[in-house]
Amino acid sequence: AQSVTQLDSQVPVFEEAPVELRCNYSSSVSVYLFWYVQYPNQGLQLLLKYLSGSTLVKGINGFEAEFNKSQTSFHLRKPSVHISDTAEYFCAVLSTGGYQKVTFGTGTKLQVIP
Amino acid sequence: DAGVTQSPTHLIKTRGQQVTLRCSPKSGHDTVSWYQQALGQGPQFIFQYYEEEERQRGNFPDRFSGHQYPNYSSELNVNALLLGDSALYLCASSRGPTGANQPQHFGDGTRLSIL
């Protein structure tokens, strides 16, 4: 079984300030990790994914995330946020091998304050 | 290149009715997964279709069923609708059902409201 915990349901941050959205996961096997963004009334858009290799993953829109196996975390960061980053962000995990379903966290709403 | 398309965009039904939602995958994709996203929650996996068969299923009752056609498009059917079925239903497609091609490209969803 696998699970994802997003510790913050809402994160307010001022424009041009840095932000970190936290994600912890649980799985008995190796995993792939993902961050998605969802704008109002839209589906999910992939920001970045960790499959293997370098633990620092860079994605679209200036976002990056770092995989930490010992802490079972995959936190999302951006050094300077813009108003347009206001959205909901979902962390997701997929156990490797075979037919597998993706498990999503409950999401973090990022509100960028002008 | 069209992405994942879902229809209808919005739908209102009453308790006990049946509903069919439709999804066309992104060009080149052969696998379709369905998710239910309740208000304020993350998407919950319903099931996945590949080669016209249900390959994986989440913790949803048999009232939720699906189908995949030879052109890879898919339908989600829900019978005996309950108030709790009100949600955004997301379809996602991928090239193959496993591994790093997951999770997928998502459509904008169908908003289902049960009265």
Side-chain angles (χ1 to χ4, degrees), chain A residues 32 34 36 38 41-44 46 49 51 90 94 98-102 104-106, chain B residues 35 37 40-43 45 55-56 88 90 97-100 102-104 106-108:
Chain A
Y32 300 130
F34 308 83
Y36 276 82
Q38 186 176 35
N41 300 313
Q42 293 187 23
L44 280 70
L46 181 67
K49 60 183 177 182
L51 305 180
F90 292 92
L94 169 67
Y99 294 113
Q100 294 289 348
K101 64 179 183 180
V102 176
F104 285 86
T106 52
Chain B
Y35 294 83
Q37 186 179 15
Q41 299 295 318
F45 176 78
R55 298 292 178 171
Q56 279 284 302
L88 179 68
L90 294 167
T98 64
Q102 294 276 19
Q104 307 108 355
F106 283 82
D108 287 341

Side-chain angles (χ1 to χ4, degrees), chain A residues 43-57:
Chain A
L44 280 70
Q45 179 184 4
L46 181 67
L47 278 177
L48 48 80
K49 60 183 177 182
Y50 172 77
L51 305 180
S52 63
S54 173
T55 57
L56 184 62
V57 180

Side-chain angles (χ1 to χ4, degrees), chain A residues 1 24 33 50 57-58 67 77 79 89 101 106 109-110:
Chain A
N24 287 87
L33 293 158
Y50 172 77
V57 180
K58 293 189 182 298
F67 171 60
R77 302 186 184 100
Y89 293 79
K101 64 179 183 180
T106 52
K109 290 183 180 177
L110 174 63

Side-chain angles (χ1 to χ4, degrees), chain A residues 3-24:
Chain A
S3 66
V4 178
T5 301
Q6 292 185 244
L7 300 170
D8 305 301
S9 59
Q10 295 190 54
V11 173
V13 62
F14 286 103
E15 193 174 15
E16 298 184 6
V19 69
E20 178 180 84
L21 305 183
R22 297 181 292 172
C23 172
N24 287 87

